[in-house]
Amino acid sequence: MRLVTAIETIGKLRDENRRAGRKVGLVPTMGALHDGHGSLVRKARAECEVVIASIFVNPLQFGPKEDFEQYPRDLEGDRAKLESWGCDVLFTTSPSAMYPNGFQTFVTPEGPLSAEFDGAVRPGHFKGVATVVLKLLNLTGCDIAYFGRKDAQQCALIRRMALDLNVPSKISVCPTAREQDGLAMSSRNVYLTPAQRAAAPNIYKALLAARARVQGGERDALQIREALARDLAAIEGGSPDYADVVDPDSFERIQQKIPGRFGAPAPALAIAVVRFGSTRLLDNLRLDEDGS
Ligand code: AMP
């Protein structure tokens, strides 16, 4: 696997791949890699001729009181994992290379997709995400960029950005990889104490219970939301940030009944964020279909 650390070099690589007509897949990450990232790299490997993973802990998407400094970093461990998943190129660079002196152009999402939920709890977060993702798409010229459904609002927002700004890369959204007990894999899981780690799978259990309600015929989004909020509030040591039922593409809250035709529910996504101490764990589950 080739390691690229300079902006100029990744740009040259993009031009070479373009000239040779190679299909390029990009997996953007912040490192501290786990099997969730692995599932994205493996999908890219199956679909593309060149697989690039990026590792960049993006200061722009962290708030002043968030964990930018403490965010887990393990470049050597990550390199070995990427090799074993079949990645061709690791691109990693410094904040000062990404945002050199004079940098002043940002992608600022302004609609409902960025205003609520993580957009409301983390002001500026999605501006940071959209800006760095667009830069990475431009730098690599990838045909397909792979993202995890665990961060469903981010996926919806990036899809929207690609549509709005005529970005030629395809945005591929991949299923959430989970630990055996159902906890969504996350680089931040390492922050959890043993007691918090033991309680954390209850987030997924609460989401499964919400889906079971829908599968049992419940369509009243308010009832589902309230039951989900109750289940999350009962998690030992956890404190819910939000729980809701939204349209998976627009992230607009489903206010009354989950719409549907011929008895089948329309697309609906249950979203949940629970804090354990200062660690925020996100998860979500489609209520209208089976799977992760
Ligand atoms: P991160 O390094 O946390 O910024 O994540 C990089 C990419 O991996 C994002 O597209 C995430 O949505 C995705 N990702 C993180 N955790 C998981 C998971 N458990 N399953 C699938 N994808 C994931």
Side-chain angles (χ1 to χ4, degrees):
M1 184 178 67
R2 184 167 163 197
L3 175 69
V4 175
T5 56
I7 299 280
E8 300 72 37
T9 315
I10 198 75
K12 277 196 190 130
L13 195 66
R14 171 197 57 214
D15 299 343
E16 279 166 32
N17 285 327
R18 239 179 224 160
R19 274 196 297 276
R22 294 188 197 109
K23 185 172 177 186
V24 175
L26 170 70
V27 180
T29 83
M30 298 203 299
L33 300 179
H34 50 68
D35 253 352
H37 301 110
S39 67
L40 271 50
V41 174
R42 282 191 284 261
K43 182 140 195 284
R45 180 70 289 160
E47 296 180 351
C48 301
E49 290 166 87
V50 178
V51 177
I52 306 177
S54 62
I55 294 181
F56 182 64
V57 186
N58 177 27
L60 218 58
Q61 70 190 67
F62 287 77
K65 292 194 183 127
E66 294 182 359
D67 57 342
F68 174 70
E69 297 294 342
Q70 298 83 38
Y71 196 82
R73 289 162 170 87
D74 176 19
L75 190 59
E76 281 320 303
D78 288 348
R79 272 175 88 159
K81 286 179 191 159
L82 288 169
E83 291 261 17
S84 77
W85 296 329
C87 181
D88 297 308
V89 178
L90 165 57
F91 172 57
T92 184
T93 195
S94 64
S96 61
M98 268 306 211
Y99 307 114
N101 281 341
F103 183 92
Q104 53 189 284
T105 308
F106 301 87
V107 179
T108 309
E110 291 196 336
L113 254 176
S114 63
E116 296 237 39
F117 309 116
D118 259 43
V121 177
R122 307 181 69 188
H125 172 66
F126 286 128
K127 173 181 172 182
V129 169
T131 302
V132 81
V133 168
L134 186 62
K135 282 175 68 78
L136 290 166
L137 298 177
N138 286 337
L139 281 168
T140 59
C142 62
D143 295 277
I144 312 180
Y146 296 84
F147 297 88
R149 186 177 276 180
K150 180 180 78 77
D151 301 286
Q153 192 174 6
Q154 170 173 287
C155 289
L157 192 114
I158 289 168
R159 278 215 158 131
R160 187 71 236 180
M161 173 187 77
L163 201 64
D164 289 347
L165 301 184
N166 310 102
V167 173
S169 313
K170 182 181 159 211
I171 306 300
S172 174
V173 175
C174 309
T176 300
R178 299 183 179 280
E179 303 289 354
Q180 293 237 313
D181 57 12
L183 176 64
M185 290 183 181
S186 164
S187 306
R188 290 189 167 100
N189 289 350
V190 298
Y191 294 148
L192 300 172
T193 65
Q196 292 170 336
R197 175 63 188 81
N202 289 313
I203 304 171
Y204 183 51
K205 291 208 181 104
L207 291 167
L208 286 174
R211 185 166 74 186
R213 281 172 200 278
V214 174
Q215 288 178 343
E218 177 66 85
R219 293 289 181 275
D220 185 334
L222 187 67
Q223 295 288 335
I224 300 163
R225 177 162 40 246
E226 282 182 353
L228 177 60
R230 258 197 319 274
D231 288 351
L232 295 175
I235 297 177
E236 191 90 17
S239 114
D241 250 12
Y242 57 75
D244 226 310
V245 179
V246 301
D247 177 285
D249 295 320
S250 68
F251 261 70
E252 279 171 29
R253 186 172 285 114
I254 298 179
Q255 296 288 3
Q256 292 168 348
K257 287 217 178 303
I258 298 176
R261 277 164 62 85
F262 308 121
L269 185 76
I271 55 174
V273 175
V274 175
R275 275 180 206 268
F276 288 90
S278 55
T279 307
R280 290 177 83 240
L281 299 185
L282 284 75
D283 205 348
N284 63 78
L285 194 68
R286 281 290 286 266
L287 298 177
D288 56 305
E289 58 184 39
D290 288 336
S292 70

